[in-house]
Amino acid sequence: MLIISTLLEFNPLFQTIKIIKLKQAADVSLWTYVTILTVGVLWLFYGIQLQSLPMIIGNAIKLFASLSVVIVYFIYKNSRSKITQ
């Protein structure tokens, strides 16, 4: 179960890849990923207090993945897609 939940922490990376591929972030909810980032920070601190390596690793992955979405959001937020729809 731990392996599955850790793999699910990578989900925001798929959004990051999509933003980079389309070169636009108009359909992304920034507040969703900021919330995930905030919750991840809180859980990371809690895991550090408990000295729980699985919590620390899982939440570090979550922070990296959600932070990548926030960063590419600001890079591509005003860009137009080069792919015609």
Side-chain angles (χ1 to χ4, degrees), residues 23-85:
K23 301 205 183 315
Q24 63 99 13
D27 297 334
V28 176
S29 171
L30 176 64
W31 295 111
T32 299
Y33 290 100
V34 169
T35 302
I36 293 170
L37 192 63
T38 304
V39 170
V41 167
L42 295 173
W43 276 106
L44 179 62
F45 285 143
Y46 183 61
I48 290 170
Q49 281 186 332
L50 293 179
Q51 298 179 352
S52 171
L53 191 58
M55 284 182 71
I56 294 169
I57 292 171
N59 287 295
I61 293 169
K62 180 190 304 185
L63 289 175
F64 169 75
S66 56
L67 186 61
S68 70
V69 174
V70 172
I71 290 170
V72 297
Y73 175 86
F74 284 111
I75 292 172
Y76 292 110
K77 72 177 182 176
N78 293 326
S79 298
R80 296 275 182 192
S81 175
K82 292 185 179 183
I83 299 174
T84 57
Q85 298 175 344

Side-chain angles (χ1 to χ4, degrees), residues 1-40:
M1 187 65 170
L2 176 63
I3 293 171
I4 294 170
S5 65
T6 302
L7 289 174
L8 291 175
E9 301 294 347
F10 285 106
N11 278 342
L13 288 178
F14 296 121
Q15 184 67 53
T16 301
I17 292 167
K18 182 179 177 185
I19 293 170
I20 293 170
K21 190 179 201 181
L22 297 177
K23 301 205 183 315
Q24 63 99 13
D27 297 334
V28 176
S29 171
L30 176 64
W31 295 111
T32 299
Y33 290 100
V34 169
T35 302
I36 293 170
L37 192 63
T38 304
V39 170

